Amino acid sequence: MAASTEHTVRNIVLVHGAFADGSSWSQVIERLTAIGYHVTAVQNPMTSLSDDVLATERVLRRQQGEVLLVGHSWAGAVITQAGNASNVKGLVYLSALVPDSGESAADLLQRLKAPMTGLTPDADGLIWLDDPSQFHKVMAADLPMQKAQLLASVQQPIAAACFSGKVEHAAWHDKPSWYLQTTEDHALSPSVQQSIVQQIGAKAVSVRSSHLSLASHPDAVAKLIDHAASELGR
Protein backbone atom coordinates (compact mmCIF):
# COMPACT_ATOMS: atom_id res chain seq x y z
CA MET A 1 0.00 0.00 0.00
CA ALA A 2 1.32 3.41 -0.94
CA ALA A 3 1.07 6.19 1.59
CA SER A 4 -1.65 8.73 0.86
CA THR A 5 -0.62 12.35 1.29
CA GLU A 6 -3.96 14.05 1.89
CA HIS A 7 -6.77 12.77 4.06
CA THR A 8 -9.49 14.66 5.86
CA VAL A 9 -10.17 11.58 7.95
CA ARG A 10 -7.10 10.40 9.85
CA ASN A 11 -8.81 8.51 12.67
CA ILE A 12 -9.92 4.92 12.14
CA VAL A 13 -11.98 3.19 14.84
CA LEU A 14 -12.31 -0.59 14.47
CA VAL A 15 -15.08 -2.60 16.14
CA HIS A 16 -14.75 -6.39 16.35
CA GLY A 17 -17.50 -8.95 15.92
CA ALA A 18 -18.62 -11.98 17.88
CA PHE A 19 -16.13 -14.69 18.86
CA ALA A 20 -13.22 -12.24 18.58
CA ASP A 21 -11.61 -9.36 20.41
CA GLY A 22 -9.71 -6.22 19.48
CA SER A 23 -6.54 -8.18 18.78
CA SER A 24 -8.20 -9.72 15.71
CA TRP A 25 -7.49 -6.40 13.96
CA SER A 26 -3.72 -6.52 14.60
CA GLN A 27 -2.63 -7.11 10.99
CA VAL A 28 -4.98 -4.41 9.70
CA ILE A 29 -3.77 -1.97 12.36
CA GLU A 30 -0.15 -2.57 11.34
CA ARG A 31 -0.95 -1.71 7.73
CA LEU A 32 -3.00 1.39 8.49
CA THR A 33 -0.59 2.88 11.03
CA ALA A 34 2.27 2.32 8.57
CA ILE A 35 0.63 4.76 6.15
CA GLY A 36 -0.14 7.38 8.76
CA TYR A 37 -3.55 6.66 10.27
CA HIS A 38 -4.40 6.93 13.95
CA VAL A 39 -6.13 3.63 14.70
CA THR A 40 -8.06 2.48 17.76
CA ALA A 41 -9.68 -0.92 18.29
CA VAL A 42 -12.71 -1.05 20.57
CA GLN A 43 -12.96 -3.89 23.10
CA ASN A 44 -16.66 -4.81 23.07
CA PRO A 45 -18.18 -6.46 26.16
CA MET A 46 -20.70 -8.17 23.83
CA THR A 47 -23.25 -8.24 26.64
CA SER A 48 -25.90 -6.23 24.78
CA LEU A 49 -26.19 -3.94 21.77
CA SER A 50 -26.42 -0.90 24.05
CA ASP A 51 -23.30 -1.96 25.99
CA ASP A 52 -21.29 -2.37 22.79
CA VAL A 53 -22.55 0.95 21.45
CA LEU A 54 -21.54 2.65 24.70
CA ALA A 55 -18.05 1.12 24.53
CA THR A 56 -17.71 2.39 20.96
CA GLU A 57 -19.03 5.85 21.81
CA ARG A 58 -16.43 6.18 24.58
CA VAL A 59 -13.67 5.54 22.06
CA LEU A 60 -15.23 7.93 19.55
CA ARG A 61 -15.22 10.72 22.13
CA ARG A 62 -11.46 10.31 22.54
CA GLN A 63 -10.73 10.94 18.86
CA GLN A 64 -9.37 14.31 17.83
CA GLY A 65 -11.00 15.06 14.51
CA GLU A 66 -13.18 13.16 12.09
CA VAL A 67 -13.53 9.38 12.20
CA LEU A 68 -14.08 6.50 9.79
CA LEU A 69 -15.92 3.81 11.78
CA VAL A 70 -15.39 0.16 10.80
CA GLY A 71 -17.37 -2.86 12.00
CA HIS A 72 -16.99 -6.58 11.36
CA SER A 73 -19.85 -9.08 11.51
CA TRP A 74 -21.97 -8.46 14.64
CA ALA A 75 -20.34 -5.04 14.99
CA GLY A 76 -22.22 -3.93 11.90
CA ALA A 77 -25.21 -3.45 14.20
CA VAL A 78 -23.00 -1.63 16.71
CA ILE A 79 -21.59 0.91 14.26
CA THR A 80 -25.00 1.40 12.67
CA GLN A 81 -26.10 2.94 15.97
CA ALA A 82 -22.80 4.39 17.25
CA GLY A 83 -22.16 5.87 13.81
CA ASN A 84 -24.68 8.61 14.55
CA ALA A 85 -21.95 10.40 16.53
CA SER A 86 -21.21 13.77 14.96
CA ASN A 87 -17.50 13.07 14.38
CA VAL A 88 -18.20 9.89 12.38
CA LYS A 89 -18.04 10.76 8.68
CA GLY A 90 -18.39 7.31 7.11
CA LEU A 91 -18.99 3.63 7.82
CA VAL A 92 -17.15 0.54 6.59
CA TYR A 93 -18.84 -2.84 7.01
CA LEU A 94 -16.98 -6.15 6.73
CA SER A 95 -19.31 -9.12 6.09
CA ALA A 96 -21.54 -7.39 8.60
CA LEU A 97 -25.07 -7.44 9.91
CA VAL A 98 -26.59 -4.03 9.14
CA PRO A 99 -30.07 -3.50 10.61
CA ASP A 100 -32.40 -0.69 9.68
CA SER A 101 -33.85 1.83 12.12
CA GLY A 102 -36.05 0.11 14.71
CA GLU A 103 -34.64 -3.28 13.74
CA SER A 104 -32.43 -5.81 15.56
CA ALA A 105 -29.85 -8.14 14.05
CA ALA A 106 -32.27 -11.02 14.55
CA ASP A 107 -35.06 -9.01 12.88
CA LEU A 108 -32.78 -8.32 9.91
CA LEU A 109 -31.94 -12.00 9.42
CA GLN A 110 -35.60 -12.96 9.78
CA ARG A 111 -36.57 -10.37 7.16
CA LEU A 112 -33.92 -11.72 4.80
CA LYS A 113 -35.22 -15.26 5.39
CA ALA A 114 -31.90 -16.30 6.95
CA PRO A 115 -32.70 -16.77 10.65
CA MET A 116 -29.86 -17.69 12.97
CA THR A 117 -29.49 -21.41 13.62
CA GLY A 118 -27.08 -23.54 15.59
CA LEU A 119 -26.31 -20.83 18.13
CA THR A 120 -27.33 -22.22 21.51
CA PRO A 121 -26.62 -20.09 24.58
CA ASP A 122 -25.32 -21.63 27.78
CA ALA A 123 -26.90 -21.28 31.24
CA ASP A 124 -25.54 -17.74 31.44
CA GLY A 125 -27.09 -16.74 28.12
CA LEU A 126 -23.74 -16.71 26.32
CA ILE A 127 -22.95 -18.18 22.91
CA TRP A 128 -19.47 -19.64 22.52
CA LEU A 129 -17.38 -20.75 19.54
CA ASP A 130 -14.38 -22.08 21.44
CA ASP A 131 -14.00 -25.42 19.72
CA PRO A 132 -11.01 -24.96 17.37
CA SER A 133 -12.36 -27.20 14.61
CA GLN A 134 -15.74 -25.44 14.61
CA PHE A 135 -14.08 -22.04 14.76
CA HIS A 136 -11.94 -22.97 11.76
CA LYS A 137 -14.95 -24.22 9.79
CA VAL A 138 -17.32 -21.33 10.57
CA MET A 139 -15.03 -18.32 10.85
CA ALA A 140 -11.66 -18.93 9.24
CA ALA A 141 -11.60 -21.81 6.77
CA ASP A 142 -8.98 -20.05 4.64
CA LEU A 143 -6.51 -19.76 7.52
CA PRO A 144 -4.12 -22.49 8.63
CA MET A 145 -5.55 -24.63 11.43
CA GLN A 146 -2.77 -23.47 13.76
CA LYS A 147 -3.86 -19.84 13.31
CA ALA A 148 -7.51 -20.78 13.78
CA GLN A 149 -6.60 -22.54 17.03
CA LEU A 150 -4.92 -19.38 18.28
CA LEU A 151 -7.96 -17.27 17.40
CA ALA A 152 -10.29 -19.80 19.02
CA SER A 153 -8.21 -19.63 22.20
CA VAL A 154 -8.88 -15.90 22.60
CA GLN A 155 -12.44 -15.86 21.26
CA GLN A 156 -14.99 -14.00 23.35
CA PRO A 157 -18.54 -15.26 23.80
CA ILE A 158 -21.48 -13.08 22.86
CA ALA A 159 -24.68 -12.76 24.86
CA ALA A 160 -27.69 -14.07 22.93
CA ALA A 161 -29.48 -10.89 24.03
CA CYS A 162 -27.22 -8.85 21.73
CA PHE A 163 -29.12 -10.06 18.68
CA SER A 164 -32.46 -8.76 19.95
CA GLY A 165 -31.28 -5.21 20.69
CA LYS A 166 -32.83 -2.76 18.26
CA VAL A 167 -31.02 0.04 16.45
CA GLU A 168 -32.73 3.36 17.17
CA HIS A 169 -31.59 5.18 14.05
CA ALA A 170 -29.47 3.58 11.32
CA ALA A 171 -26.54 5.89 10.59
CA TRP A 172 -26.17 4.55 7.05
CA HIS A 173 -29.24 6.55 6.07
CA ASP A 174 -27.24 9.74 6.60
CA LYS A 175 -23.59 8.83 6.03
CA PRO A 176 -21.67 7.16 3.18
CA SER A 177 -20.96 3.48 3.60
CA TRP A 178 -18.72 0.79 2.13
CA TYR A 179 -19.12 -2.97 2.39
CA LEU A 180 -16.63 -5.80 1.96
CA GLN A 181 -18.39 -8.97 0.82
CA THR A 182 -16.71 -12.29 1.63
CA THR A 183 -17.59 -14.84 -1.02
CA GLU A 184 -16.34 -17.94 0.85
CA ASP A 185 -18.17 -17.07 4.06
CA HIS A 186 -19.62 -19.90 6.18
CA ALA A 187 -20.96 -17.61 8.91
CA LEU A 188 -22.95 -15.04 6.93
CA SER A 189 -24.16 -16.19 3.53
CA PRO A 190 -22.79 -14.20 0.57
CA SER A 191 -26.36 -13.87 -0.74
CA VAL A 192 -27.44 -12.29 2.55
CA GLN A 193 -24.48 -9.93 2.36
CA GLN A 194 -25.54 -8.94 -1.15
CA SER A 195 -29.07 -8.19 0.06
CA ILE A 196 -27.65 -5.99 2.82
CA VAL A 197 -25.46 -4.11 0.33
CA GLN A 198 -28.50 -3.39 -1.82
CA GLN A 199 -30.55 -2.32 1.19
CA ILE A 200 -28.06 0.24 2.46
CA GLY A 201 -26.73 1.41 -0.91
CA ALA A 202 -23.12 0.79 0.07
CA LYS A 203 -20.15 0.88 -2.26
CA ALA A 204 -19.15 -2.78 -2.30
CA VAL A 205 -16.08 -4.83 -3.04
CA SER A 206 -15.78 -8.62 -2.93
CA VAL A 207 -12.95 -10.75 -1.60
CA ARG A 208 -12.63 -14.50 -1.87
CA SER A 209 -12.38 -14.88 1.87
CA SER A 210 -13.80 -16.59 4.91
CA HIS A 211 -15.82 -14.60 7.44
CA LEU A 212 -12.68 -13.42 9.23
CA SER A 213 -11.25 -11.38 6.35
CA LEU A 214 -9.41 -9.06 8.73
CA ALA A 215 -7.17 -12.02 9.64
CA SER A 216 -6.98 -13.87 6.32
CA HIS A 217 -6.95 -10.87 3.93
CA PRO A 218 -5.63 -7.90 5.92
CA ASP A 219 -4.23 -6.22 2.79
CA ALA A 220 -7.67 -6.13 1.16
CA VAL A 221 -9.32 -4.88 4.34
CA ALA A 222 -6.74 -2.14 4.90
CA LYS A 223 -6.98 -1.14 1.23
CA LEU A 224 -10.76 -0.69 1.47
CA ILE A 225 -10.47 1.35 4.66
CA ASP A 226 -7.79 3.55 3.10
CA HIS A 227 -9.92 3.99 -0.02
CA ALA A 228 -12.98 4.98 2.03
CA ALA A 229 -10.97 7.47 4.09
CA SER A 230 -9.53 8.95 0.89
CA GLU A 231 -12.99 9.35 -0.66
CA LEU A 232 -14.26 11.06 2.50
CA GLY A 233 -11.34 13.46 2.29
CA ARG A 234 -12.21 14.69 -1.19
Side-chain angles (χ1 to χ4, degrees):
M1 293 172 60
S4 302
T5 56
E6 291 294 333
H7 290 294
T8 298
V9 179
R10 303 301 304 176
N11 299 300
I12 312 294
V13 172
L14 307 170
V15 190
H16 67 82
F19 316 122
D21 68 3
S23 68
S24 62
W25 293 105
S26 59
Q27 294 182 78
V28 174
I29 293 170
E30 288 175 2
R31 286 156 173 78
L32 292 174
T33 55
I35 57 173
Y37 288 102
H38 174 255
V39 187
T40 310
V42 177
Q43 293 286 7
N44 297 333
M46 294 191 294
T47 44
S48 70
L49 174 62
S50 59
D51 288 347
D52 282 7
V53 169
L54 180 59
T56 303
E57 289 173 338
R58 288 180 181 135
V59 171
L60 290 172
R61 286 195 292 270
R62 295 189 61 80
Q63 306 306 303
Q64 297 182 4
E66 298 176 332
V67 178
L68 178 62
L69 187 56
V70 184
H72 173 247
S73 189
W74 150 251
V78 179
I79 74 168
T80 294
Q81 179 62 46
N84 290 296
S86 60
N87 60 340
V88 173
K89 297 305 172 185
L91 306 162
V92 175
Y93 295 99
L94 310 179
S95 50
L97 297 168
V98 189
D100 204 341
S101 302
E103 191 173 54
S104 68
D107 293 337
L108 167 69
L109 290 171
Q110 191 69 40
R111 174 165 59 80
L112 297 179
K113 298 180 173 55
M116 291 182 293
T117 58
L119 299 176
T120 304
D122 65 10
D124 297 314
L126 300 175
I127 301 169
W128 299 75
L129 192 61
D130 51 354
D131 177 81
S133 61
Q134 277 297 104
F135 189 98
H136 187 233
K137 177 181 177 182
V138 174
M139 298 286 286
D142 56 348
L143 284 172
M145 185 62 191
Q146 185 177 10
K147 177 65 173 177
Q149 286 176 320
L150 175 63
L151 291 167
S153 296
V154 298
Q155 69 85 43
Q156 298 297 302
I158 185 169
C162 287
F163 297 105
S164 60
K166 295 183 185 294
V167 168
E168 295 176 12
H169 178 74
W172 53 262
H173 282 292
D174 311 310
K175 300 179 182 183
S177 62
W178 291 260
Y179 197 107
L180 185 141
Q181 298 172 258
T182 42
T183 62
E184 303 294 319
D185 200 315
H186 297 156
L188 186 63
S189 164
S191 63
V192 171
Q193 294 182 46
Q194 181 60 34
S195 295
I196 291 172
V197 167
Q198 292 172 347
Q199 167 189 298
I200 70 176
K203 298 177 182 179
V205 298
S206 295
V207 177
R208 189 174 180 180
S209 171
S210 67
H211 192 61
L212 211 57
S213 59
L214 53 168
S216 62
H217 289 78
D219 286 332
V221 172
K223 182 179 179 181
L224 175 60
I225 293 170
D226 180 46
H227 173 74
S230 297
E231 286 207 348
L232 288 172
R234 289 174 186 165

